[in-house]
């Protein structure tokens, strides 16, 4: 027992130090943890998540190519047209837009270009910007578990296949998509009347006395004047064609050739070559330079995710495999009696790990070791998003900075910030719905 707790402290310490350092440090310190477990505690190293890393590389490369081609700008412009056409419903339409933008692109980083527009639409409609801004930031991250090309979804797909309990991509989306939409709508409904209207907010009215503040509010923020090239529009069609091809092949595996084992090629492999292929189509059609792809924000964020998952998943799996007997004997009974408690553990880990894929890399091996079935783990998947809890994620900080009225904020006591209640509502509702759907489906 003493050996288990020593290793546990080591693994937990590595995670906390990695989080504190940020970026690729989580992956490198995870690798250091593997070294200590293997060389210091003589644990057998598990297999690193190679297939998952390759999937993320392929999807991120295609998404980054779309960004450089101007495709993301086109999607943002289309969304702005819809929001400005129905400004009174911005508190509902904005989070649904950011949710589906993430679903389409596989990354929540696409939300940054849309946040200033959401704030501007709300302000000009005299709606408190905090209402749509906070839930829009939350919804952009909730869309990750519902995206067929997101790292978290592809990680779950690869993990389930490796564990010998495969689920299809369609199975995952059928659980997480409706759960995510219902969760977003529930949080948006709560946000509809949150806070005081701007004309009744004493803090906002006091800030209006500052001429510079008032002048800043009069600034016009829009993407509608930006010219979108034909190649940018084609790049969007090509990217969606790639996503559609993956969904088609996942739905009709008989279309796939047989591998050496006489079975259809696994979807973990299909996602890799399909997204790389369509990324090449986008590159050729838009004449995108390879150097620009490698320097894009989407590509950089994706590479950080790959390194993080490489180290942290490898370390976690090595630790859990070495201590599987102890975990099953001491925790397994409790979790089996109340499996929903595993969602709480997942949520708590995600509050510190700024990646749903990295969170799942830590929790899924533990859940499997505890005897939880893959369908149940799928139902608890939305609980892997909790990094709104401390409001330190870039999209939350961006929402605060892009709300020119200052209504979207971090409170005096740190945790009483704008994202807390929308996040808790959205994640809890979507987890309950996903859990229910998974129980019915499987």
């Amino acid at each position: 027992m003493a050996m288990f707790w020593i290793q546990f402290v080591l693994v937990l310490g590595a995670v906390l130090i990695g989080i504190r350092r940020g970026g690729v440090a989580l992956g490198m310190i995870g690798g250091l943890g593997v070294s200590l477990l293997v060389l210091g505690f003589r644990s057998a190293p598990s297999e690193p998540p190679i297939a998952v890393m390759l999937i993320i590389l392929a999807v991120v490369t295609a998404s980054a190519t779309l960004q450089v081609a101007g495709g993301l700008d086109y999607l943002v412009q289309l969304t702005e047209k819809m929001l400005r056409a129905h400004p009174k419903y911005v508190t509902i339409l904005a989070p649904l837009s950011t949710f589906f933008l993430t679903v389409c692109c596989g990354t929540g980083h696409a939300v940054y270009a849309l946040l200033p527009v959401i704030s501007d639409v709300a302000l000009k409609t005299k709606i408190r910007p905090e209402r749509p801004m906070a839930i829009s930031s939350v919804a952009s991250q909730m869309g990750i578990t519902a995206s067929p090309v997101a790292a978290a979804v592809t990680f779950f797909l690869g993990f389930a296949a490796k564990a010998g309990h495969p689920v299809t991509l369609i199975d995952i989306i059928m659980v997480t998509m409706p759960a995510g939409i219902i969760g977003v709508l529930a949080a948006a409904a709560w946000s509809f009347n949150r806070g005081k209207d701007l004309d009744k907010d004493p803090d906002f009215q006091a800030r209006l006395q500052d001429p510079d503040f008032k002048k800043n509010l009069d600034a016009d923020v829009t993407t509608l004047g930006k010219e979108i090239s034909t190649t940018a529009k084609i790049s969007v069609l090509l990217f969606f064609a790639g996503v559609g091809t993956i969904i088609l092949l996942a739905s009709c595996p008989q279309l796939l050739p047989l591998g050496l084992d006489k079975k259809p090629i696994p979807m973990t492999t299909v996602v890799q070559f399909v997204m790389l292929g369509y990324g090449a189509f986008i590159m050729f059609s838009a004449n995108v330079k390879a150097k620009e792809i490698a320097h894009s924000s989407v590509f950089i964020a994706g590479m950080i995710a790959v390194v993080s998952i490489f180290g942290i998943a490898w370390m976690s799996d090595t630790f859990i495999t070495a201590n599987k007997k102890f975990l099953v004997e001491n925790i397994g009974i409790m979790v089996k009696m109340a499996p929903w408690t595993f969602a709480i553990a997942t949520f708590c880990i995600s509050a510190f790990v700024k990646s749903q894929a990295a969170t799942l890399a830590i929790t899924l091996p533990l859940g499997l070791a505890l005897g939880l079935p893959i369908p149940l783990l799928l139902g608890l998947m939305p609980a892997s998003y909790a990094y709104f809890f401390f409001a330190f994620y870039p999209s939350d900080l961006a929402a605060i900075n892009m709300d020119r009225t200052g209504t979207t904020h971090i409170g005096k006591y740190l945790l009483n910030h704008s994202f807390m209640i929308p996040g808790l509502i959205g994640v809890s509702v979507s987890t309950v719905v996903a859990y229910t759907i998974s129980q019915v489906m499987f």
Side-chain angles (χ1 to χ4, degrees):
M1 179 180 291
M3 193 63 67
F4 167 82
W5 288 111
I6 293 173
Q7 293 182 38
F8 176 78
V9 170
L10 185 151
V11 170
L12 182 62
V15 171
L16 293 176
I17 294 172
I19 294 169
R20 188 176 181 84
R21 290 277 182 172
V24 298
L26 189 60
M28 291 191 291
I29 294 175
L32 176 60
V34 174
S35 302
L36 294 174
L37 289 171
V38 173
L39 300 178
F41 295 92
R42 317 308 292 176
S43 301
S46 65
E47 290 294 323
I50 300 298
V52 175
M53 292 162 58
L54 293 177
I55 290 173
I56 298 172
L57 279 170
V59 172
V60 165
T61 302
S63 298
T65 308
L66 174 70
Q67 180 187 26
V68 176
L72 287 183
D73 292 335
Y74 180 50
L75 290 175
V76 169
Q77 193 175 88
L78 291 176
T79 304
E80 181 180 355
K81 289 180 180 179
M82 179 193 66
L83 293 177
R84 294 195 183 278
H86 308 281
K88 292 184 179 180
Y89 304 103
V90 66
T91 305
I92 292 179
L93 293 178
L96 286 175
S97 299
T98 59
F99 176 86
F100 282 109
L101 188 63
T102 297
V103 168
C104 293
C105 302
T107 173
H109 294 289
V111 74
Y112 301 131
L114 199 53
L115 288 174
V117 173
I118 295 171
S119 176
D120 193 62
V121 171
L123 179 60
K124 285 182 169 52
T125 316
K126 301 188 185 306
I127 293 173
R128 184 182 180 90
E130 180 187 28
R131 295 169 183 171
M133 290 290 279
I135 179 55
S136 293
S137 177
V138 169
S140 70
Q141 303 306 315
M142 289 176 63
I144 288 175
T145 53
S147 172
V149 290
V153 172
T154 53
F155 180 86
F156 193 100
L157 186 69
F159 176 83
K162 182 181 176 182
H165 304 281
V167 294
T168 67
L169 187 62
I170 301 301
D171 291 334
I172 298 174
I173 301 304
M174 285 180 66
V175 171
T176 57
M177 177 69 79
I181 293 173
I182 294 172
V184 168
L185 289 175
W190 178 86
S191 302
F192 212 77
N193 293 304
R194 75 175 304 185
K196 297 179 179 179
D197 292 335
L198 293 179
D199 60 347
K200 299 176 182 177
D201 187 336
D203 292 335
F204 176 74
Q205 292 300 318
R207 288 195 293 272
L208 274 181
Q209 304 308 312
D210 184 346
D212 291 334
F213 177 80
K214 190 173 183 179
K215 182 180 179 180
N216 186 46
L217 294 182
D218 295 333
D220 195 25
V221 178
T222 181
T223 65
L224 298 182
K226 187 173 184 177
E227 185 177 351
I228 303 296
S229 65
T230 302
T231 55
K233 298 176 181 178
I234 293 174
S235 71
V236 172
L237 292 176
L238 288 172
F239 189 85
F240 285 169
V243 176
T245 299
I246 291 172
I247 294 174
L248 174 64
L249 295 175
S251 305
C252 307
Q254 63 271 21
L255 297 176
L256 292 168
L258 300 180
L260 296 177
D261 56 358
K262 304 302 180 183
K263 296 180 180 179
I265 298 172
M267 284 304 300
T268 50
T269 303
V270 172
V271 173
Q272 295 171 39
F273 63 71
V274 168
M275 291 312 296
L276 282 176
Y278 275 95
F281 287 148
I282 296 172
M283 181 178 64
F284 290 134
S285 67
N287 195 27
V288 172
K289 295 180 180 179
K291 183 178 180 180
E292 294 178 354
I293 298 172
H295 287 86
S296 68
S297 60
V298 169
F299 188 83
I300 293 171
M303 293 307 101
I304 291 174
V306 169
V307 176
S308 296
I309 290 172
F310 181 20
I312 204 68
W314 197 5
M315 178 182 67
S316 301
D317 197 27
T318 298
F319 166 72
I320 290 167
T321 300
N323 296 278
K324 183 176 181 179
K325 183 178 178 181
F326 178 88
L327 290 168
V328 172
E329 290 178 352
N330 291 273
I331 307 176
I333 296 176
M334 180 191 72
V335 173
K336 286 182 179 179
M337 289 178 62
W340 58 269
T341 58
F342 194 75
I344 298 176
T346 301
F347 183 88
C348 291
I349 291 173
S350 178
F352 296 95
V353 180
K354 296 189 292 184
S355 165
Q356 292 174 63
T359 299
L360 293 173
I362 295 171
T363 60
L364 289 182
L366 175 59
L368 194 65
L370 295 174
L372 297 179
I374 291 295
L376 175 63
L377 293 174
L378 173 57
L380 302 180
M381 194 173 173
S384 63
Y385 167 50
Y387 37 85
F388 66 85
F389 197 83
F390 295 108
F392 58 19
Y393 196 71
S395 62
D396 297 335
L397 298 176
I400 292 170
N401 292 326
M402 293 176 184
D403 179 0
R404 289 172 287 159
T405 65
T407 56
T408 307
H409 63 283
I410 294 178
K412 179 179 179 180
Y413 303 104
L414 183 63
L415 296 181
N416 60 330
H417 52 71
S418 298
F419 313 94
M420 180 63 80
I421 297 180
L424 290 174
I425 293 174
V427 172
S428 59
V429 170
S430 60
T431 302
V432 170
V433 173
Y435 178 81
T436 303
I437 294 174
S438 68
Q439 296 304 297
V440 173
M441 280 183 56
F442 302 99

